[in-house]
């Protein structure tokens, strides 16, 4: 059951992050899920040591969801920087 919650929460977090970063049109549902789950991992790596927030994506709670969104935004920002460097 935990992996189903991770997919759903990751998909929503990735979708919201892609809307914030104006990349929603270029990403599909699978990429939103991947970005959301990887973003949650990045967010947990940063939120734990910096703010003492211990969350997991496998159980739904508001702090964990917000950490997943922030992590996904960070991931998309890094992807934007890499893509800009490749185009020039």
């Amino acid at each position: 059951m935990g992996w189903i919650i991770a997919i759903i929460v990751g998909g929503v977090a990735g979708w919201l992050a892609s809307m914030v970063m104006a990349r929603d049109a270029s990403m599909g549902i699978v990429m939103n899920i991947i970005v959301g789950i990887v973003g949650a991992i990045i967010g947990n790596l940063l939120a734990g040591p910096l703010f003492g927030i211990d969350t997991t994506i496998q159980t739904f709670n508001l702090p964990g969801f917000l950490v997943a969104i922030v992590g996904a935004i960070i991931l998309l920002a890094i992807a934007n920087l890499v893509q800009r460097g490749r185009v020039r």
Side-chain angles (χ1 to χ4, degrees), residues 16-61:
L16 289 173
S18 68
M19 288 179 59
V20 168
M21 297 299 291
R23 291 187 58 129
D24 191 41
S26 66
M27 295 176 55
I29 189 166
V30 173
M31 196 58 153
N32 282 337
I33 293 170
I34 292 169
V35 166
I37 291 173
V38 174
I41 293 168
I42 292 171
N44 282 326
L45 289 174
L46 295 174
L50 294 177
F51 303 110
I53 301 172
D54 187 27
T55 62
T56 179
I57 194 170
Q58 293 180 342
T59 58
F60 181 75
N61 57 20

